[in-house]
Amino acid sequence: MKTFTNPILPIGPDPFALWHDGAYYAMVTEQTRIRLMKTTDITRLSEAESTVVFEPPINTGEDFPAACCLWAPEIHSVMGRWHIYFTATSADGDDLRRRIFVLCGPQADRDPMDGPWAYAGQLEIPVERYAIDGTVLEDAGRTYFLWSSKLTMTDGWWQHLMIAEMLDPLTLGDREVVLSAPTQAWERDLQPTNEGPQVLRHGSEVWLGYSGSAFWSTNYAIGFLRARSGDDLMDPASWTKMGRAFFRQKPEAGVYGPGHASFVRSPDGREDWLLYHAWATAEPEIRVEGRSPRLQRIEWTASGEPDLGEPVGLKTPLPVPSGTA
């Protein structure tokens, strides 16, 4: 049996991947540039073909809005073209100026590795405010965008999960809806936070995974909202918030602060896999830049809920996704 061990890259926060036309296209946060990777075996990401598709201009004398802290890039086919959505802020690193930006790529029937890629500007969201961790959800002929925004509460800023319908790849409709606020205890360590929304489908259901608590906390963890495909996903009543964390740290396995996950299918389409980042230590002076991407298989319970299990320790042999050559 062919096996692999975690991590699949030595370092790489905010991992994202999708399977398309016989290959995985993957991305991680590199802070100063956006890189796209391609591989037929997601467990061998360190050997993937890669290309840098964007680096911010420097020394232009202008206040370029996406100059610093390039986070959480994701590649999506939207309305017939490849697009990459990422978070960034101004050169001074101002936290409240973080916004979501867009790269426009080739037609969706072409290999996105071939480009060309061009900076298209800031995503237009309904209310101009802090926005990070954008992702795309297509359902029943409608295209939605999900992200995390800071909203003012009586005791400070809380990060909420937001949704709006997409008018085009750079523009959202004028109505945004709060899907989730960090009200549960597991979502509130160090900072009340819901972020990193990601879509997991199973049968007729849409599971929206997200991360709770401050990303620098070892208690960073993964939870879910649940909806039915075909329902009005702009209606918060269509979503059920599950009352617990589904995946959290396991110190005895050397896994701390697991989160910012994406969900990928095996090459043969038979298995769902969790792609997430975590630290291998709880020591703050070591772990700030040490988040690495890891993989493990998702099971499904008899009641139809995702079972993420417990984090698997480093160097523990795991079977590769089914259908991997």
Side-chain angles (χ1 to χ4, degrees), residues 260-279:
H260 206 110
S262 65
F263 307 105
V264 295
R265 283 276 167 87
S266 59
D268 65 7
R270 298 173 57 189
E271 300 167 353
D272 294 297
W273 284 72
L274 175 70
L275 173 62
Y276 68 99
H277 73 216
W279 289 294

Side-chain angles (χ1 to χ4, degrees), residues 12 22 29 54 74-75 111 146 182 189 206 220 223 244 253 270 282 321:
T29 288
F54 175 71
E74 296 189 10
I75 182 170
D111 187 340
L146 298 111
D189 191 52
V206 179
Y220 201 53
R244 68 187 191 281
R270 298 173 57 189

Side-chain angles (χ1 to χ4, degrees), residues 22 27 59 72-73 105 109 166 285 306 323:
M27 314 188 80
N59 302 322
D109 61 355
M166 299 188 80
E285 64 273 15

